[in-house]
Amino acid sequence: PSPGREVWSRRSVFILAAIGSAVGLGNIWRFPYVAYSNGGGAFMIPYLVALLTAGIPLLFLYYSIGHRFKGSPPLAFRRMSKRAEGLGWWQVGICFIIAVYYAVIIAWAARFAIFSAKGDLSSPEKAGDAFGNLTKSDQTSLGFDYVAGVAWPLLITWVVVIAILAFGVQKGIGATAQFFVPVLVVLFIAVVIRALLLDGAGEGLNSLFTPDWGALTDSSVWIAAYGQIFFSLSVGFGIMITYSSYLKRKTNLTGAGLVVGFSNSAFEILAGIGVFAALGYMAAVQGVPVVDVADSGIGLAFVAFPTIISTMWGGSVFGLLFFISLIFAGITSLVSIIEVIISAVRDKTGMRRVPATILVGAAATIVSMVFFPTRSGVSVLDTVDHFANEFGIVGAALTSVVVVTWLLRKLPQQRDHLNGVSSFKLGWIWMACVGVITPIVLAYMLIDQIIDTVQNGYGDYGGGLVAGFGWALQIALIVIAVAVGFTRWHKSADQVIESDD
Ligand code: PHE
Ligand code: NA
């Protein structure tokens, strides 16, 4: 291994950190809604197919790249082929963009945890308006009217995350995951059990799980399933490469990938049950069908849930547990995205952990604080999020799969590397999943989204927001990535790594 590269103390720490990264807001607020609106119970079939043909195979691929080349994405790709370095920087750029807004959602969750504890969500009216009152998010074009109520929890979020990262791979990231992931599971199970005891929970579950078999013939349902899997496992933008680069030489990689992939899905289904049980209750209280209260994302977590909390018995405890779950799920994910950037900067410049963490952390904090705790913050966040997910992540994942499989033709070597260290052996099926099925699905998703967004814009946002924080930002990222890819490295980067695979 490269001299001085940090390592996880045990494989289980890596697995917990990888689960901590994967289990995030997507599990809690995205999956239930995506499943519900794409065939309900029948969605489980495309979802499972997507997990097995793309999600887990890609986890294996990125683990093998990080582990074999022992580097952050730019260094790992450079060691695979000198011209591929830019691909790694593209992933680093995506991480930076996601990090600066992901932190804001954690900050909101922190405020709502406090609201719950203080009893500020005690009536449906107060609860329903709490998000609007907190964020004052009435501007749909870029502005800089700051909102203190979001700014200070955001700053605290950054301080916490930077502190965790400054402690390094094992003592910071690993130790955090060892504590946060098990606690998250316990807290969230408590949330789900309480939700299941609410009146109307059964109705909610029926509406989530009643299968609409007709959905299986609809291609958009299949695309939604693949989309959910890519997003939820956060494959394709460098996290898995980075985390697996800190593994020791002899590590069962495919075994770890299976554990991470299935744990993430288990948490997702658990969240689906909890969320729809609660929505069933809300529908019953309001005397409306569940359809009318189902919402995804911000509306679900910060409007529907607070409303539920406000009317149920024990709501403040339930709310506290729910929002702490969001915070815990979010922190471990945010830590993983920032680590990609820190790791890349360190590999490129030879900087030490603490200065690199402060540099990267300060840059992210400043950008995050300038653009998001404002009256236009929610609009900017929503726009950046849409483009980062639909174009950035999908584009970078597609490019990396095509480059590795078809341009550099490295898939057989990666397979041999995986098989050399792992218990679960891979053959041509894995190569077909990674090299053929995945790129076809990703290309279809990308083209479909580009056409849709070009024709319809995004949301109700002004052209300036969509052009600047959408298109221009994503294109700028690629240009910068390529440019950085051609700049000089710190001297140890080009060391030949021993071929022990
Ligand atoms: N995969 C995470 C989820 O399901 C989301 C995430 C995004 C994680 C970005 C890390 C980085 O919520
Ligand atoms: Na996830």
Side-chain angles (χ1 to χ4, degrees):
S2 323
R5 192 166 191 84
E6 295 177 74
V7 288
W8 307 106
S9 64
R10 287 192 309 276
R11 191 180 71 127
S12 64
V13 180
F14 160 76
I15 290 177
L16 282 173
I19 293 175
S21 171
V23 172
L25 304 166
N27 300 57
I28 299 174
W29 79 24
R30 196 172 186 277
F31 172 82
Y33 178 78
V34 171
Y36 168 75
S37 46
N38 287 283
F43 182 74
M44 293 306 144
I45 294 171
Y47 177 78
L48 212 67
V49 171
L51 176 67
L52 297 176
T53 60
I56 291 180
L58 280 189
L59 276 186
F60 293 163
L61 173 69
Y62 293 114
Y63 284 178
S64 78
I65 293 174
H67 188 246
R68 178 170 174 220
F69 296 106
K70 287 257 167 237
S72 59
L75 180 56
F77 280 114
R78 180 185 178 83
R79 283 174 169 168
M80 185 182 280
S81 159
K82 279 208 168 160
R83 283 165 308 164
E85 184 187 332
L87 202 51
W89 288 110
W90 187 9
Q91 299 185 336
V92 170
I94 293 170
C95 286
F96 187 84
I97 289 184
I98 294 179
V100 295
Y101 72 81
Y102 206 78
V104 182
I105 304 171
I106 300 174
W108 296 338
R111 271 320 285 276
F112 271 74
I114 297 172
F115 290 161
S116 308
K118 284 191 2 199
D120 289 348
L121 307 175
S122 56
S123 76
E125 294 71 38
K126 279 203 247 172
D129 293 340
F131 186 71
N133 289 339
L134 170 64
T135 58
K136 302 187 172 41
S137 55
D138 51 3
Q139 292 179 4
T140 54
S141 58
L142 183 63
F144 294 96
D145 298 330
Y146 286 92
V147 178
V150 180
W152 64 260
L154 181 58
L155 188 61
I156 296 173
T157 303
W158 279 112
V159 170
V160 169
V161 167
I162 292 170
I164 292 170
L165 286 160
F167 279 99
V169 169
Q170 174 59 34
K171 291 200 187 115
I173 304 170
T176 307
Q178 281 177 296
F179 173 72
F180 276 38
V181 173
V183 174
L184 170 63
V185 171
V186 172
L187 291 184
F188 203 73
I189 287 177
V191 168
V192 173
I193 291 175
R194 177 65 187 101
L196 284 171
L197 296 174
L198 293 165
D199 294 328
E203 251 333 284
L205 293 186
N206 280 339
S207 52
L208 173 60
F209 288 116
T210 303
D212 165 13
W213 297 111
L216 295 183
T217 56
D218 181 349
S219 67
S220 70
V221 167
W222 288 82
I223 293 302
Y226 278 89
Q228 176 61 25
I229 287 292
F230 287 123
F231 179 83
S232 189
L233 286 175
S234 20
V235 283
F237 51 110
I239 298 176
M240 296 305 153
I241 294 180
T242 306
Y243 274 12
S244 59
S245 76
Y246 302 130
L247 282 165
K248 293 171 184 162
R249 265 296 158 209
K250 272 282 164 213
T251 300
N252 179 351
L253 293 176
T254 57
L258 290 170
V259 174
V260 172
F262 284 110
S263 303
N264 179 63
S265 288
F267 197 95
E268 217 146 57
I269 292 168
L270 185 69
I273 293 171
V275 165
F276 269 80
L279 291 179
Y281 165 76
M282 180 166 162
V285 168
Q286 300 185 347
V288 296
V290 177
V291 197
D292 293 352
V293 296
D295 188 0
S296 74
I298 294 173
L300 176 76
F302 297 110
V303 182
F305 258 79
T307 310
I308 291 164
I309 290 160
S310 70
T311 57
M312 68 188 275
W313 182 83
S316 53
V317 175
F318 181 81
L320 193 60
L321 294 183
F322 175 75
F323 289 111
I324 292 178
S325 298
L326 280 186
I327 298 170
F328 278 27
I331 291 272
T332 47
S333 297
L334 182 57
V335 161
S336 72
I337 330 179
I338 306 275
E339 177 59 16
V340 175
I341 313 169
I342 294 174
S343 177
V345 167
R346 292 190 64 197
D347 283 345
K348 184 97 178 177
T349 63
M351 279 173 94
R352 291 177 164 281
R353 158 76 46 186
V354 172
T357 303
I358 291 172
L359 179 74
V360 170
T365 304
I366 290 169
V367 174
S368 186
M369 295 291 297
V370 166
F371 289 103
F372 296 97
T374 66
R375 299 180 91 106
S376 62
V378 178
S379 304
V380 176
L381 187 150
D382 192 23
T383 307
V384 176
D385 176 62
H386 173 77
F387 280 81
N389 283 306
E390 308 297 341
F391 304 120
I393 297 183
V394 176
L398 174 63
T399 311
S400 66
V401 166
V402 169
V403 166
V404 173
T405 311
W406 298 107
L407 294 183
L408 302 176
R409 299 189 170 271
K410 298 285 186 191
L411 226 42
Q413 288 177 23
Q414 295 306 120
R415 176 202 57 203
D416 293 345
H417 179 84
L418 285 163
N419 287 341
V421 293
S422 304
S423 57
F424 179 79
K425 308 285 180 198
L426 306 174
W428 67 269
I429 296 180
W430 176 72
M431 305 227 293
C433 287
V434 170
V436 183
I437 297 177
T438 301
I440 290 174
V441 177
L442 285 169
Y444 183 92
M445 285 166 68
L446 188 62
I447 293 168
D448 189 53
Q449 275 299 330
I450 290 180
I451 292 174
D452 185 58
T453 309
V454 166
Q455 285 177 348
N456 306 319
Y458 178 64
D460 303 326
Y461 302 127
L465 204 61
V466 171
F469 285 83
W471 298 113
L473 187 57
Q474 292 302 322
I475 293 168
L477 217 62
I478 298 174
V479 174
I480 295 170
V482 172
V484 177
F486 286 111
T487 60
R488 277 190 46 211
W489 279 83
H490 165 65
K491 54 187 179 331
S492 73
D494 277 327
Q495 273 174 359
V496 185
I497 39 169
E498 71 272 45
S499 52
D500 56 352
D501 43 276

